[in-house]
Each structure stands twice: as C-alpha cells, then as structure tokens.
Amino acid sequence: MEFRVRAPELKGRGWLNTGGKALTLADLRGKILILDFWTFCCINCLHVLDELRPIEEKYGDAVVVIGVHSPKFEHERDPVALAAAVERYGVHHPVVDDGDMHVWQQYAAKAWPTLAVVDPEGYLVASMAGEGHAEGLSRLIDELITTHEAKGTLHRGDGPYVPPPAPEGLLRFPGKVIELPSGNLLVSDSARHSLVELTPDGETLVRRIGSGVRGEPFSEPQGLVQLPPRVAEVAGYDVVVADTVHHQLRGFNTATGEVTLVAGSGRPWRSAVDDHAHDALAADLSSPWDLAWFDEKVIIAMAGIHQLWWFDPIKRTVGVYAGTTVEALRDGPIPDVWMAQPSGLSASVEGKRLWIADSETSALRWVEDGVMHTAVGQGLFDFGHVDGPAAEALFQHPLGVAALPDGSVLVADTYNGAVRRFDPASGEVSTVDSGLAEPSDVLALTDGTVVVVESAAHRLTRLAPGVVRRVDGERHKTERPPSHLAPGEVTLDVIFTPAPGQKLDSQFGSPVRLVVSASPAELLLAGEGTTTDLSRKIVLNPDVPKGVLQVVAQAATCDVDAEFGACHLTRQDWGVPIVIDPAGPDRLPLILRGLDA
C-alpha cells in the first residue's frame, strides 16, 4: 500500500510578496510547491535562493516557490527586517513569516536551508537539507509534471507573487566601503549589483561602475580592498572586488574604469581543496564576502564554506588560508580551525594581526603568527548586546570590522544595529553608537573620522567622535526545538536517496562522508570523527545535560545512462541542539535528501 503524507498548512505571522493576501494550501492546489525554509543570516540559504532562480524561470507556470522564513537570530524575528531582507536579496516569490517556528516544526525541519516539495494534490513528496539540489529538483519536477498532467491535477498559469514597488535612491543595501587615495569613497552597492564612487562627504555621486543589473558584471558585490601600488602596477588593477553571488573576484582599475575577472570559475565550491596553490581562474570559490591585504596576499572571507582563502594577484593563484569547512568555533594553529561564515576582515595598522568578524558565531576573532584566537564570542547559538569584559560580552551577527591605529577594533554589530569597540589592552567591549540600520561595514578614514555603511538605511553615516558607553543589554540564545535523545548509545542515521536519474558515484572511492563532533566536546563519549558511512553509533554522555551535535554529511552522485553524465555533490552541515533525556529515543535521523517512495 502506498503511504502518502498530507502537507501541513502554512500558518505564519504574515506574508510578503502577495499583495497582502495570506495564502493557504487550498489556494495553491494544482501547483507543484517548493517550500524553502531559510533565515536571512544564513549564507547557504542565500545560495539556495540563487539555485531556485532558474527553476522559477523555467517552470514558472507549474511551480510555486514559497519562502518559509524561520529565524535564527532575534533581529530576524522583526517583520521590518525580514521585509528588508526579501528586497535586499531579490526574493521574487511569496514568503511566509514563520517567526514562531510553527511551520518549521510541522515540517520537521532541522537545518537551514531545508527544501520540501508538495505535489499538486497537496501531498509531501520530498525533503532535502542543504544546497546543491537544483539538478535533482528539476528531475523531480519533470516527473511530477508528467504524472499530474496525465491525471489532470496540474493547473498551469500565473502564481501568487505580487512584486513590491520599485525602490529609489542613490544606494540600495550597500555592503562595504574603502577610501581611495584621492579621498573619494568606493562602495559596493550590493542590491544594485554595482560599485559606486562618492565624494569624501559620502553623498555625491562621482561614477557608477556596472550596469545596475544582476550579472552585468557584478552580482551582489560585497568586499573591496586596495592593493599596494607596487602590486597594482604588476597586476594591472588597483582594487579587488568580492563578486559574491558570482563566486568570483574581479579587478577594478580606478584610472581606466576597466573591470576584469581575476579569480573564480563561477562554479560554487562543492568539494575539498588541498593545501597547494591553484590557478585562480580555475578554482571554485564560495560567496567571497570581504577582502583584506595581509601577509603579502589578499585574504578572502569565504563566507559560503566557513574558511579564509588567499589570493596572489601577481602569481594569479589561490589557496586555503584557514578553516576546515566545519561551521563552528574552534581556535588554534591555522588552517585547522573552525569558523562560521566569516564576513568582515581588517588588518592591523602594523600588519601583525588580521581581525575577523565571524558572523554566525557572533564573534570577533584574530590571526597572529599563524594562530587563530577569539576575542569575543561563545558559539553558534549565543548572542546579544552586552558590554564589559570580553569573556562575557556578546555581539549579534557582526558583518564588519575595522582595526584602529591605537590597536583597538571597531565592529559593525549588524543585528544589534550598533558599532562596538574592543580594546585588547583592557579586554573590554563598549558601544560606540547604536540605533543604526543593519551596519554592515565600518571604516576609519585617514583624517581620523569613522564612516559606517548603514546598509538597511541605504547610506553612509559618520560617527560622532569620542562616543563610548556601556550597555547592559540582553543575552539571547537561539531557541530551536532541541532533539531529546537517550544517554548512552544512539544511532545517527543520515538519510540520502539519489535524485531521479542519479546514482551514487563510487568511481573515486566511497561516495559518502560523515563527520561528527560536539560542543561541548564532553557531550560525545564515542563516535567523533570521519567515516565513509552515513550511519554511525555514537555515545552520549549522561553527565552533560545538553549541547550541540555537529554533523557534516555529503554524498556524491552522477547521472544514470548518460554518455557524459554530470557529477553532483550534496552536502549539509547540521548543528543539532541536543537535550539528554532518559525517556528520549536512541536514534537521530537527519534527512540529507529523502523521497516518499
């Protein structure tokens, strides 16, 4: 007997991109639905938005994508912030505000991002975690179209998306800023897919670089770095741009206005890279978010894979600088450290330290003499606005950082709407300014003034000098529903079913890989490490009441019965909150990709 599961109703706090209408599954009957569980801080969720764009274009009369925004950070629960994010990232489909995580729980989601597919009759037919599912989704949609056209249950036609009014203004969600030798400011105007040069007052347009249309030549650019003159002379350009959604770096010659591709194949990263130098143009990058000149190279905040990479403009090579792709917080000698979506970089004035805004751990970190340290930050799920001793202070998803001449550091504390200051000499964190609209970068100019990119206000703002105050704010912890598990031996099962038309690809060894760790480490008595099996016995410590189980799984597949079949890699990193419960189950299933057979 075929077992079919009815899709739960989409009951949220409100809807966006529907002209004010609250949608129900009944309104959507006859369409193939793709439910995209996302949160706007999550770089992997942003990758999935880009993967869904061509699917929406190809199957627009048969498929409706519904964004289900289930927030991680407190700031993301704000409906105004969500509306801004929907515009910022060009989300052109309806979005339900799942601020209380009700829809998340109803669909048993455990990771950002997660996709669920509902057929035209309202039955849940597929669930998949992580990114890289575009090819499999297309095959599944083709099968569903064939089946439901034959049954007469597919209703083609326009979907429920209602576009918002077109915005105006000089800037739209600017990302990063640098000061040019002329004193002018160069800004990445991210939502308009271009660079903007402004006069030193930050208000008068000198020129716009790029068409303002996605992909010509930029797609949501972010980080910028000025090369030393001796390097620029050889390279042929003086500014490097992180072309984030293209997964590339571009060189910009400020004298001629020429823009050239200097690194990145354009394909998003999908597999491990060794510690050797690689040809820059052939390498697969992943959402480069910020850039800094350090250790005689351009350092790249590779937000999409939780690493730092380096780029040599003269040798035209790239390689891994720090990080293992595990999304967590762990210090030590580089490269064997853990980060979580590094998004801001700044080298100290004397060039000895590289400061890092590690956004998903809400942390300020630095590299010195080949070792990574954490100044402020406690992990993936602890955040807030608290000043004082660094060990107790908290940020909330910072995206920018600026090293000052006196050795202190300013942090664009994005989701707290603040600029914060860390003083290494005293070990204290203070608030310099607050009430800002999602500050995404901070820059100390040569005249000593400080400019903030106030991204959600679409402007640059100068800080009042000398303002420092203490904030005894709130501490927050991400309240995702935890998994209750029995102490002792537990079976961890990662469920993976190849997409239609694909099979596991074992031509280069085992097609699957599973990496397990925990925070705190004492949570796991056994089962930590890497194996080539998606099922594993782990042993949970009964003396550790709760923690986070970190699971990274990947599976390699290839097309079946194709002369030159494409290869695919599906990968997901789960941070699963765990509560030890004597009455809890002894099995933890995680869906990498599953189908209702």
Side-chain angles (χ1 to χ4, degrees):
M1 175 183 291
E2 183 181 17
F3 180 70
R4 305 178 76 191
V5 177
R6 275 282 180 192
E9 191 54 78
L10 304 174
K11 295 181 179 179
R13 299 190 306 180
W15 286 80
L16 294 91
N17 287 349
T18 63
K21 180 179 180 180
L23 301 178
T24 67
L25 289 178
D27 297 328
L28 302 166
R29 192 62 49 83
K31 299 289 188 183
I32 299 166
L33 305 184
I34 301 175
L35 307 183
D36 176 21
F37 289 84
W38 70 301
T39 186
F40 63 77
C41 71
C42 168
I43 190 66
N44 306 96
C45 299
L46 303 186
H47 291 172
V48 169
L49 286 176
D50 293 317
E51 291 174 354
L52 290 175
R53 295 185 206 280
I55 290 177
E56 292 180 271
E57 183 176 349
K58 179 179 179 180
Y59 300 103
D61 65 343
V63 170
V64 173
V65 176
I66 302 289
V68 183
H69 188 265
S70 306
K72 172 185 175 182
F73 287 100
E74 190 68 22
H75 176 70
E76 293 172 305
R77 299 180 189 277
D78 181 353
V80 175
L82 172 57
V86 168
E87 180 194 340
R88 178 196 298 266
Y89 297 117
V91 179
H92 293 164
H93 52 247
V95 175
V96 58
D97 180 357
D98 186 32
D100 59 4
M101 308 289 279
H102 173 77
V103 184
W104 171 282
Q105 294 184 65
Q106 289 295 301
Y107 280 82
K110 290 187 179 297
W112 293 286
T114 290
L115 298 174
V117 181
V118 179
D119 72 13
E121 295 179 288
Y123 290 97
L124 186 65
V125 296
S127 180
M128 52 202 77
E131 54 184 287
H133 295 289
E135 177 68 23
L137 266 177
S138 295
R139 292 174 183 268
L140 176 59
I141 290 168
D142 287 337
E143 287 190 356
L144 290 172
I145 287 175
T146 299
T147 298
H148 288 277
E149 279 192 325
K151 294 173 69 175
T153 50
L154 179 70
H155 303 155
R156 293 184 181 270
D158 292 338
Y161 170 65
V162 178
E168 299 180 353
L170 176 61
L171 300 173
R172 205 68 193 166
F173 296 105
K176 305 290 185 180
V177 61
I178 60 172
E179 184 179 20
L180 298 174
S182 65
N184 286 348
L185 303 177
L186 188 64
V187 184
S188 55
D189 196 16
S190 300
R192 289 217 173 99
H193 315 293
S194 56
L195 308 182
V196 172
E197 185 176 347
L198 304 174
T199 54
D201 62 8
E203 297 181 0
T204 304
L205 178 66
V206 176
R207 58 176 165 169
R208 183 176 292 273
I209 301 95
S211 68
V213 176
R214 181 184 293 272
E216 299 178 8
F218 303 108
S219 187
E220 297 181 27
Q222 286 286 342
L224 307 161
V225 67
Q226 181 93 40
L227 295 178
R230 56 183 169 77
V231 177
E233 184 177 359
V234 177
Y237 51 88
D238 52 325
V239 173
V240 182
V241 183
D243 194 3
T244 303
V245 173
H246 275 147
H247 309 291
Q248 293 175 324
L249 304 183
R250 297 188 187 275
F252 172 50
N253 187 313
T254 57
T256 66
E258 183 181 9
V259 176
T260 55
L261 175 64
V262 299
S265 67
R267 299 180 299 268
W269 176 97
R270 286 285 182 264
S271 60
V273 175
D274 58 34
D275 57 0
H276 297 104
H278 292 262
D279 176 71
L281 291 173
D284 298 343
L285 311 184
S286 184
S287 295
W289 203 273
D290 202 8
L291 306 168
W293 182 258
F294 182 73
D295 197 21
E296 290 300 302
K297 297 180 180 65
V298 174
I299 303 299
I300 311 165
M302 203 74 80
I305 48 176
H306 319 298
Q307 290 183 313
L308 303 181
W309 283 32
W310 56 262
F311 165 59
D312 189 325
I314 295 178
K315 295 181 179 179
R316 302 176 185 179
T317 52
V318 295
V320 175
Y321 184 72
T324 65
T325 76
V326 173
E327 184 182 10
L329 193 155
R330 185 177 75 181
D331 293 332
I334 60 174
D336 296 324
V337 295
W338 295 348
M339 289 177 286
Q341 209 169 303
S343 302
L345 299 175
S346 181
S348 60
V349 175
E350 80 288 347
K352 292 183 178 180
R353 287 186 173 183
L354 177 68
W355 291 97
I356 306 152
D358 200 29
S359 63
E360 281 293 291
T361 55
S362 297
L364 173 64
R365 308 175 74 179
W366 85 90
V367 172
E368 184 175 11
D369 296 329
V371 178
M372 181 169 286
H373 311 265
T374 296
V376 181
Q378 299 176 19
L380 281 168
F381 303 108
D382 294 278
F383 56 92
H385 190 162
V386 178
D387 287 337
E392 302 172 9
L394 293 173
F395 299 135
Q396 185 178 182
H397 197 75
L399 291 179
V401 62
L404 300 182
D406 66 0
S408 66
V409 184
L410 294 180
V411 178
D413 192 6
T414 308
Y415 286 1
N416 280 326
V419 173
R420 315 281 294 282
R421 178 177 180 267
F422 169 64
D423 182 358
S426 66
E428 292 280 319
V429 174
S430 55
T431 296
V432 176
D433 201 359
S434 60
L436 302 169
E438 294 190 12
S440 58
D441 199 16
V442 57
L443 174 67
L445 303 179
T446 52
D447 65 4
T449 61
V450 174
V451 170
V452 179
V453 179
E454 203 174 351
S455 187
H458 320 295
R459 66 191 179 195
L460 304 184
T461 301
R462 289 182 184 260
L463 292 186
V467 178
V468 176
R469 57 193 174 90
R470 170 72 179 264
V471 172
D472 293 316
E474 295 185 22
R475 294 176 178 267
H476 300 288
K477 195 173 184 70
T478 300
E479 297 298 338
R480 275 196 296 165
S483 295
H484 289 250
L485 292 175
E489 187 172 272
V490 171
T491 300
L492 171 63
D493 281 324
V494 176
I495 299 165
F496 178 77
T497 302
Q502 295 179 13
K503 65 178 180 179
L504 286 171
D505 181 9
S506 57
Q507 60 179 317
F508 300 110
S510 174
V512 298
R513 182 171 180 261
L514 182 64
V515 183
V516 179
S517 58
S519 178
E522 295 77 18
L523 177 65
L524 272 182
L525 295 177
E528 183 179 13
T530 303
T531 59
T532 55
D533 192 333
L534 292 182
S535 182
R536 183 187 305 185
K537 299 290 186 183
I538 62 176
V539 179
L540 299 178
N541 190 342
D543 298 325
V544 178
K546 61 182 179 179
V548 177
L549 194 64
Q550 199 74 35
V551 181
V552 182
Q554 66 182 44
T557 59
C558 61
D559 293 343
V560 177
D561 300 328
E563 184 177 359
F564 300 104
C567 296
H568 315 274
L569 184 71
T570 302
R571 185 181 188 275
Q572 174 59 20
D573 188 329
W574 289 271
V576 184
I578 297 294
V579 170
I580 301 299
D581 182 352
D586 61 0
R587 179 174 178 264
L588 175 62
L590 299 174
I591 298 176
L592 183 58
R593 189 180 191 282
L595 290 173
D596 177 19

